[in-house]
Amino acid sequence: QVQLVQSGGGLVQPGGSLRLSCAASGSIFSILTMNWYRQVPGKQRELVATISSGSTTIYADSVKGRFTISRDNAKNTMYLQMNSLKPEDTAVYYCKAYIFTSGGTRGSDYWGQGTQVTVSS
């Protein structure tokens, strides 16, 4: 059984910083692509950032230059460093990872539980 556990959300003032973590645990053989999404009530879930197994990164235009996605493969953990936060960054943030379990023949997507990020004005 694999699960992703998120941490690091909270309340921050505009211009502030926050770091989110997403730790995978369980019978993991390998983790390929990892992603951060965010969602606001009434809006479509938005892909914020992607990091490949080779640490190639892709960012949404709305966060480019402010957010940094990274991963620590030894810890099965990825991070989202969020700087220069804006009120429009307020959302529930979700991590997703494509994971091969030990002994499995193909990978599957796994989702974290989500964490609230609130940027006050």
Side-chain angles (χ1 to χ4, degrees):
Q1 187 176 47
V2 173
Q3 63 177 310
L4 304 183
V5 178
Q6 299 179 221
S7 61
L11 176 66
V12 65
Q13 294 184 346
S17 297
L18 213 56
R19 190 178 78 153
L20 305 182
S21 298
C22 176
S25 63
S27 184
I28 298 169
F29 179 75
S30 65
I31 303 176
L32 299 184
T33 303
M34 305 181 79
N35 312 96
W36 286 101
Y37 292 81
R38 65 187 182 188
Q39 189 165 28
V40 176
K43 291 187 63 179
Q44 186 85 312
R45 185 170 295 184
E46 175 189 18
L47 177 61
V48 174
T50 295
I51 185 165
S52 73
S53 59
S55 294
T56 299
T57 58
I58 301 172
Y59 297 93
D61 288 341
S62 58
V63 307
K64 198 170 298 180
R66 300 187 297 120
F67 290 11
T68 302
I69 187 172
S70 61
R71 61 193 290 169
D72 185 337
N73 292 329
K75 296 181 178 179
N76 287 331
T77 301
M78 73 163 173
Y79 307 93
L80 186 67
Q81 178 66 47
M82 304 182 292
N83 299 325
S84 302
L85 282 162
K86 305 173 180 179
E88 51 263 44
D89 295 318
T90 295
V92 177
Y93 284 72
Y94 298 90
C95 63
K96 186 184 77 172
Y98 189 79
I99 298 173
F100 282 82
T101 58
S102 299
T105 58
R106 75 176 196 90
S108 298
D109 282 323
Y110 294 86
W111 288 87
Q113 81 278 15
T115 186
Q116 178 71 45
V117 172
T118 301
V119 185
S120 68
S121 60

mmCIF file of all heavy atoms in Angstrom, residues 36-63:
data_model
loop_
_atom_site.group_PDB
_atom_site.id
_atom_site.type_symbol
_atom_site.label_atom_id
_atom_site.label_comp_id
_atom_site.label_asym_id
_atom_site.label_seq_id
_atom_site.Cartn_x
_atom_site.Cartn_y
_atom_site.Cartn_z
ATOM 1 N N TRP A 36 2.589 18.966 -8.640
ATOM 2 C CA TRP A 36 1.799 19.755 -7.708
ATOM 3 C C TRP A 36 0.625 20.370 -8.449
ATOM 4 O O TRP A 36 0.804 20.951 -9.524
ATOM 5 C CB TRP A 36 2.618 20.872 -7.059
ATOM 6 C CG TRP A 36 3.575 20.395 -6.024
ATOM 7 C CD1 TRP A 36 4.910 20.215 -6.169
ATOM 8 C CD2 TRP A 36 3.267 20.052 -4.667
ATOM 9 N NE1 TRP A 36 5.471 19.781 -4.990
ATOM 10 C CE2 TRP A 36 4.485 19.672 -4.056
ATOM 11 C CE3 TRP A 36 2.094 20.030 -3.912
ATOM 12 C CZ2 TRP A 36 4.545 19.268 -2.717
ATOM 13 C CZ3 TRP A 36 2.165 19.629 -2.594
ATOM 14 C CH2 TRP A 36 3.372 19.255 -2.011
ATOM 15 N N TYR A 37 -0.565 20.237 -7.868
ATOM 16 C CA TYR A 37 -1.780 20.854 -8.369
ATOM 17 C C TYR A 37 -2.341 21.775 -7.303
ATOM 18 O O TYR A 37 -2.016 21.649 -6.126
ATOM 19 C CB TYR A 37 -2.843 19.808 -8.700
ATOM 20 C CG TYR A 37 -2.546 18.911 -9.881
ATOM 21 C CD1 TYR A 37 -1.706 17.815 -9.755
ATOM 22 C CD2 TYR A 37 -3.141 19.142 -11.122
ATOM 23 C CE1 TYR A 37 -1.448 16.978 -10.824
ATOM 24 C CE2 TYR A 37 -2.894 18.311 -12.195
ATOM 25 C CZ TYR A 37 -2.050 17.231 -12.046
ATOM 26 O OH TYR A 37 -1.806 16.401 -13.115
ATOM 27 N N ARG A 38 -3.225 22.674 -7.716
ATOM 28 C CA ARG A 38 -3.974 23.460 -6.750
ATOM 29 C C ARG A 38 -5.400 23.652 -7.250
ATOM 30 O O ARG A 38 -5.665 23.623 -8.446
ATOM 31 C CB ARG A 38 -3.314 24.805 -6.466
ATOM 32 C CG ARG A 38 -3.268 25.765 -7.642
ATOM 33 C CD ARG A 38 -2.439 26.990 -7.272
ATOM 34 N NE ARG A 38 -2.391 27.964 -8.348
ATOM 35 C CZ ARG A 38 -1.624 29.046 -8.342
ATOM 36 N NH1 ARG A 38 -0.835 29.291 -7.303
ATOM 37 N NH2 ARG A 38 -1.648 29.886 -9.371
ATOM 38 N N GLN A 39 -6.309 23.853 -6.300
ATOM 39 C CA GLN A 39 -7.707 23.987 -6.645
ATOM 40 C C GLN A 39 -8.392 24.980 -5.723
ATOM 41 O O GLN A 39 -8.216 24.942 -4.508
ATOM 42 C CB GLN A 39 -8.423 22.637 -6.572
ATOM 43 C CG GLN A 39 -9.832 22.650 -7.130
ATOM 44 C CD GLN A 39 -10.368 21.254 -7.371
ATOM 45 O OE1 GLN A 39 -9.970 20.300 -6.706
ATOM 46 N NE2 GLN A 39 -11.266 21.123 -8.325
ATOM 47 N N VAL A 40 -9.169 25.850 -6.336
ATOM 48 C CA VAL A 40 -10.009 26.817 -5.636
ATOM 49 C C VAL A 40 -11.459 26.405 -5.858
ATOM 50 O O VAL A 40 -11.814 25.976 -6.966
ATOM 51 C CB VAL A 40 -9.767 28.246 -6.162
ATOM 52 C CG1 VAL A 40 -10.704 29.243 -5.496
ATOM 53 C CG2 VAL A 40 -8.320 28.650 -5.953
ATOM 54 N N PRO A 41 -12.321 26.518 -4.843
ATOM 55 C CA PRO A 41 -13.729 26.173 -5.048
ATOM 56 C C PRO A 41 -14.325 26.893 -6.252
ATOM 57 O O PRO A 41 -14.146 28.105 -6.413
ATOM 58 C CB PRO A 41 -14.398 26.626 -3.747
ATOM 59 C CG PRO A 41 -13.312 26.506 -2.726
ATOM 60 C CD PRO A 41 -12.045 26.902 -3.449
ATOM 61 N N GLY A 42 -15.019 26.140 -7.108
ATOM 62 C CA GLY A 42 -15.623 26.703 -8.298
ATOM 63 C C GLY A 42 -14.715 26.773 -9.508
ATOM 64 O O GLY A 42 -15.166 27.185 -10.579
ATOM 65 N N LYS A 43 -13.459 26.389 -9.350
ATOM 66 C CA LYS A 43 -12.519 26.425 -10.460
ATOM 67 C C LYS A 43 -11.951 25.036 -10.727
ATOM 68 O O LYS A 43 -11.948 24.165 -9.864
ATOM 69 C CB LYS A 43 -11.362 27.389 -10.176
ATOM 70 C CG LYS A 43 -11.743 28.854 -10.147
ATOM 71 C CD LYS A 43 -10.507 29.739 -10.028
ATOM 72 C CE LYS A 43 -9.590 29.590 -11.230
ATOM 73 N NZ LYS A 43 -8.381 30.467 -11.126
ATOM 74 N N GLN A 44 -11.474 24.855 -11.931
ATOM 75 C CA GLN A 44 -10.826 23.616 -12.333
ATOM 76 C C GLN A 44 -9.496 23.457 -11.600
ATOM 77 O O GLN A 44 -8.805 24.439 -11.318
ATOM 78 C CB GLN A 44 -10.595 23.622 -13.848
ATOM 79 C CG GLN A 44 -10.048 22.324 -14.417
ATOM 80 C CD GLN A 44 -11.138 21.327 -14.723
ATOM 81 O OE1 GLN A 44 -12.024 21.078 -13.913
ATOM 82 N NE2 GLN A 44 -11.064 20.738 -15.906
ATOM 83 N N ARG A 45 -9.164 22.221 -11.277
ATOM 84 C CA ARG A 45 -7.866 21.953 -10.686
ATOM 85 C C ARG A 45 -6.763 22.321 -11.676
ATOM 86 O O ARG A 45 -6.812 21.959 -12.852
ATOM 87 C CB ARG A 45 -7.761 20.485 -10.275
ATOM 88 C CG ARG A 45 -6.488 20.139 -9.537
ATOM 89 C CD ARG A 45 -6.540 18.738 -8.947
ATOM 90 N NE ARG A 45 -7.559 18.625 -7.912
ATOM 91 C CZ ARG A 45 -7.774 17.544 -7.184
ATOM 92 N NH1 ARG A 45 -7.037 16.460 -7.381
ATOM 93 N NH2 ARG A 45 -8.731 17.533 -6.273
ATOM 94 N N GLU A 46 -5.759 23.020 -11.195
ATOM 95 C CA GLU A 46 -4.704 23.565 -12.031
ATOM 96 C C GLU A 46 -3.383 22.856 -11.760
ATOM 97 O O GLU A 46 -2.985 22.691 -10.604
ATOM 98 C CB GLU A 46 -4.545 25.069 -11.762
ATOM 99 C CG GLU A 46 -3.392 25.733 -12.490
ATOM 100 C CD GLU A 46 -3.129 27.153 -12.028
ATOM 101 O OE1 GLU A 46 -3.594 27.515 -10.920
ATOM 102 O OE2 GLU A 46 -2.469 27.910 -12.769
ATOM 103 N N LEU A 47 -2.703 22.468 -12.817
ATOM 104 C CA LEU A 47 -1.357 21.920 -12.683
ATOM 105 C C LEU A 47 -0.383 23.067 -12.448
ATOM 106 O O LEU A 47 -0.256 23.966 -13.283
ATOM 107 C CB LEU A 47 -0.968 21.134 -13.933
ATOM 108 C CG LEU A 47 0.441 20.555 -13.966
ATOM 109 C CD1 LEU A 47 0.652 19.559 -12.832
ATOM 110 C CD2 LEU A 47 0.714 19.888 -15.310
ATOM 111 N N VAL A 48 0.306 23.024 -11.322
ATOM 112 C CA VAL A 48 1.209 24.096 -10.927
ATOM 113 C C VAL A 48 2.633 23.825 -11.390
ATOM 114 O O VAL A 48 3.308 24.711 -11.921
ATOM 115 C CB VAL A 48 1.180 24.290 -9.397
ATOM 116 C CG1 VAL A 48 2.218 25.307 -8.949
ATOM 117 C CG2 VAL A 48 -0.213 24.716 -8.948
ATOM 118 N N ALA A 49 3.107 22.605 -11.165
ATOM 119 C CA ALA A 49 4.494 22.278 -11.489
ATOM 120 C C ALA A 49 4.649 20.782 -11.649
ATOM 121 O O ALA A 49 3.912 19.994 -11.046
ATOM 122 C CB ALA A 49 5.450 22.794 -10.411
ATOM 123 N N THR A 50 5.617 20.403 -12.455
ATOM 124 C CA THR A 50 5.922 19.012 -12.736
ATOM 125 C C THR A 50 7.421 18.803 -12.621
ATOM 126 O O THR A 50 8.203 19.661 -13.029
ATOM 127 C CB THR A 50 5.468 18.628 -14.158
ATOM 128 O OG1 THR A 50 4.045 18.709 -14.237
ATOM 129 C CG2 THR A 50 5.901 17.211 -14.512
ATOM 130 N N ILE A 51 7.818 17.656 -12.088
ATOM 131 C CA ILE A 51 9.225 17.285 -12.067
ATOM 132 C C ILE A 51 9.350 15.827 -12.484
ATOM 133 O O ILE A 51 8.653 14.958 -11.972
ATOM 134 C CB ILE A 51 9.875 17.559 -10.694
ATOM 135 C CG1 ILE A 51 11.382 17.283 -10.750
ATOM 136 C CG2 ILE A 51 9.204 16.762 -9.587
ATOM 137 C CD1 ILE A 51 12.134 17.868 -9.558
ATOM 138 N N SER A 52 10.228 15.575 -13.441
ATOM 139 C CA SER A 52 10.417 14.233 -13.959
ATOM 140 C C SER A 52 11.378 13.445 -13.087
ATOM 141 O O SER A 52 11.989 13.971 -12.156
ATOM 142 C CB SER A 52 10.948 14.297 -15.393
ATOM 143 O OG SER A 52 12.306 14.708 -15.397
ATOM 144 N N SER A 53 11.528 12.168 -13.412
ATOM 145 C CA SER A 53 12.480 11.335 -12.680
ATOM 146 C C SER A 53 13.905 11.832 -12.846
ATOM 147 O O SER A 53 14.740 11.593 -11.969
ATOM 148 C CB SER A 53 12.374 9.883 -13.142
ATOM 149 O OG SER A 53 12.636 9.768 -14.532
ATOM 150 N N GLY A 54 14.189 12.515 -13.956
ATOM 151 C CA GLY A 54 15.495 13.114 -14.181
ATOM 152 C C GLY A 54 15.599 14.541 -13.703
ATOM 153 O O GLY A 54 16.581 15.219 -14.020
ATOM 154 N N SER A 55 14.583 15.018 -12.981
ATOM 155 C CA SER A 55 14.538 16.359 -12.377
ATOM 156 C C SER A 55 14.365 17.475 -13.394
ATOM 157 O O SER A 55 14.695 18.629 -13.116
ATOM 158 C CB SER A 55 15.778 16.618 -11.508
ATOM 159 O OG SER A 55 15.779 15.760 -10.380
ATOM 160 N N THR A 56 13.839 17.152 -14.570
ATOM 161 C CA THR A 56 13.390 18.186 -15.483
ATOM 162 C C THR A 56 12.105 18.803 -14.937
ATOM 163 O O THR A 56 11.207 18.083 -14.498
ATOM 164 C CB THR A 56 13.134 17.616 -16.878
ATOM 165 O OG1 THR A 56 14.353 17.078 -17.398
ATOM 166 C CG2 THR A 56 12.612 18.684 -17.822
ATOM 167 N N THR A 57 12.002 20.123 -14.959
ATOM 168 C CA THR A 57 10.869 20.813 -14.348
ATOM 169 C C THR A 57 10.078 21.614 -15.362
ATOM 170 O O THR A 57 10.624 22.136 -16.340
ATOM 171 C CB THR A 57 11.329 21.745 -13.218
ATOM 172 O OG1 THR A 57 12.271 22.687 -13.733
ATOM 173 C CG2 THR A 57 11.977 20.951 -12.100
ATOM 174 N N ILE A 58 8.772 21.722 -15.102
ATOM 175 C CA ILE A 58 7.863 22.533 -15.894
ATOM 176 C C ILE A 58 6.957 23.277 -14.927
ATOM 177 O O ILE A 58 6.481 22.692 -13.952
ATOM 178 C CB ILE A 58 7.017 21.682 -16.861
ATOM 179 C CG1 ILE A 58 7.909 20.891 -17.819
ATOM 180 C CG2 ILE A 58 6.046 22.562 -17.647
ATOM 181 C CD1 ILE A 58 7.146 19.900 -18.673
ATOM 182 N N TYR A 59 6.708 24.555 -15.198
ATOM 183 C CA TYR A 59 5.894 25.382 -14.324
ATOM 184 C C TYR A 59 4.757 26.041 -15.088
ATOM 185 O O TYR A 59 4.896 26.393 -16.258
ATOM 186 C CB TYR A 59 6.726 26.488 -13.677
ATOM 187 C CG TYR A 59 7.818 25.985 -12.786
ATOM 188 C CD1 TYR A 59 9.105 25.791 -13.276
ATOM 189 C CD2 TYR A 59 7.574 25.706 -11.450
ATOM 190 C CE1 TYR A 59 10.114 25.325 -12.458
ATOM 191 C CE2 TYR A 59 8.579 25.243 -10.625
ATOM 192 C CZ TYR A 59 9.842 25.055 -11.132
ATOM 193 O OH TYR A 59 10.846 24.596 -10.311
ATOM 194 N N ALA A 60 3.642 26.236 -14.399
ATOM 195 C CA ALA A 60 2.587 27.074 -14.931
ATOM 196 C C ALA A 60 3.085 28.511 -15.019
ATOM 197 O O ALA A 60 3.874 28.964 -14.191
ATOM 198 C CB ALA A 60 1.352 27.002 -14.037
ATOM 199 N N ASP A 61 2.608 29.234 -16.032
ATOM 200 C CA ASP A 61 3.043 30.616 -16.208
ATOM 201 C C ASP A 61 2.758 31.473 -14.976
ATOM 202 O O ASP A 61 3.515 32.396 -14.662
ATOM 203 C CB ASP A 61 2.373 31.233 -17.429
ATOM 204 C CG ASP A 61 2.918 30.689 -18.736
ATOM 205 O OD1 ASP A 61 4.024 30.116 -18.737
ATOM 206 O OD2 ASP A 61 2.232 30.839 -19.768
ATOM 207 N N SER A 62 1.687 31.166 -14.276
ATOM 208 C CA SER A 62 1.276 31.968 -13.139
ATOM 209 C C SER A 62 2.243 31.887 -11.960
ATOM 210 O O SER A 62 2.230 32.763 -11.091
ATOM 211 C CB SER A 62 -0.124 31.557 -12.677
ATOM 212 O OG SER A 62 -0.160 30.181 -12.336
ATOM 213 N N VAL A 63 3.077 30.856 -11.914
ATOM 214 C CA VAL A 63 3.995 30.683 -10.787
ATOM 215 C C VAL A 63 5.455 30.714 -11.203
ATOM 216 O O VAL A 63 6.342 30.698 -10.340
ATOM 217 C CB VAL A 63 3.712 29.378 -10.016
ATOM 218 C CG1 VAL A 63 2.252 29.298 -9.611
ATOM 219 C CG2 VAL A 63 4.123 28.159 -10.837
#
